[in-house]
Amino acid sequence: LERGAAAKRRQPEGENPLRSAGIGTDFVNFSEYEAVLNRILSYYSDDIRHSIAADRPFDIAEIKAYIDHFYFEDIKISMFTEKYFLSREYLMKLFKQQFGYGIHEYVQKIRMDKAKELLSDPGLKIQEISEMLGYKDKNYFSKAFRNYYQFSPSEYRSNEEADKK
């Protein structure tokens, strides 16, 4: 088949694979027809995703690279479990074994490292930095920063400026 997808037969010869998957092909109106098409699309797209995942080796470093580049987005572990067809627990265990941090811890570490870097630019307001790091609320960012470094972003900035003089 195209794109290297392995051909495999799901049903015995002559049996309708959609019917055996619980997808009826009879419909009375357009809404039912649309629903049938959506179920068919879902059925085959799941099959394709599983086939692609089985042919491609998993590399935990891909998740780290994604976080390194998109730390400012709302990163959810479910994004990775669905993409790589792994359980949440197994994925988190692999990540921690490889990099020494849980996924959430690593996202926070990257954000906090970047926060320090951005706070060294006096032209950026703390609100702007908060938004650049993916925090929706400046106060939440300030609290997270304080919990991580034991001082507020403003205190960090003041200390950095004092050290430069």
Side-chain angles (χ1 to χ4, degrees):
L1 291 177
E2 287 184 37
R3 300 183 188 246
K8 61 181 178 186
R9 183 161 297 287
R10 293 176 166 274
Q11 305 333 63
E13 192 68 39
E15 195 172 323
N16 183 332
L18 295 176
R19 280 203 199 283
S20 56
I23 300 172
T25 53
D26 298 328
F27 44 88
V28 176
N29 57 39
F30 186 76
S31 294
E32 288 181 13
Y33 177 68
E34 181 181 27
V36 167
L37 288 179
N38 284 331
R39 286 194 303 273
I40 292 170
L41 179 63
S42 177
Y43 175 79
Y44 284 112
S45 64
D46 286 347
D47 202 32
I48 291 167
R49 275 200 311 274
H50 285 292
S51 174
I52 290 170
D55 293 343
R56 196 172 132 223
F58 170 69
D59 183 4
I60 194 77
E62 289 179 29
I63 294 174
K64 181 182 179 295
Y66 180 89
I67 294 168
D68 290 343
H69 288 95
F70 299 102
Y71 58 86
F72 50 86
E73 290 185 356
D74 185 20
I75 296 175
K76 302 216 181 295
I77 293 173
S78 60
M79 296 166 35
F80 306 120
T81 60
E82 290 171 12
K83 179 176 181 180
Y84 297 108
F85 304 102
L86 297 171
S87 75
R88 176 183 175 89
E89 294 75 21
Y90 183 65
L91 184 63
M92 292 171 70
K93 179 182 173 186
L94 281 178
F95 194 91
K96 187 154 190 153
Q97 285 176 343
Q98 182 73 29
F99 303 110
Y101 296 94
I103 292 175
H104 290 298
E105 292 172 287
Y106 186 72
V107 170
Q108 185 173 26
K109 176 193 178 322
I110 295 300
R111 285 179 173 178
M112 293 297 119
D113 290 348
K114 189 68 174 174
K116 276 181 144 181
E117 182 183 320
L118 293 170
L119 285 165
S120 66
D121 181 349
L124 290 174
K125 295 178 181 174
I126 293 176
Q127 175 69 41
E128 293 171 318
I129 293 171
S130 170
E131 291 168 5
M132 292 167 77
L133 296 172
Y135 291 95
K136 308 225 182 320
D137 180 353
K138 176 186 122 176
N139 294 327
Y140 184 75
F141 162 65
S142 294
K143 184 177 180 180
F145 191 91
R146 180 181 290 281
N147 287 338
Y148 200 82
Y149 289 117
Q150 283 68 54
F151 41 81
S152 72
S154 301
E155 292 168 339
Y156 176 80
R157 181 175 268 171
S158 296
N159 292 341
E160 284 294 299
E161 289 173 8
D163 288 347
K164 289 180 184 177
K165 292 180 183 180

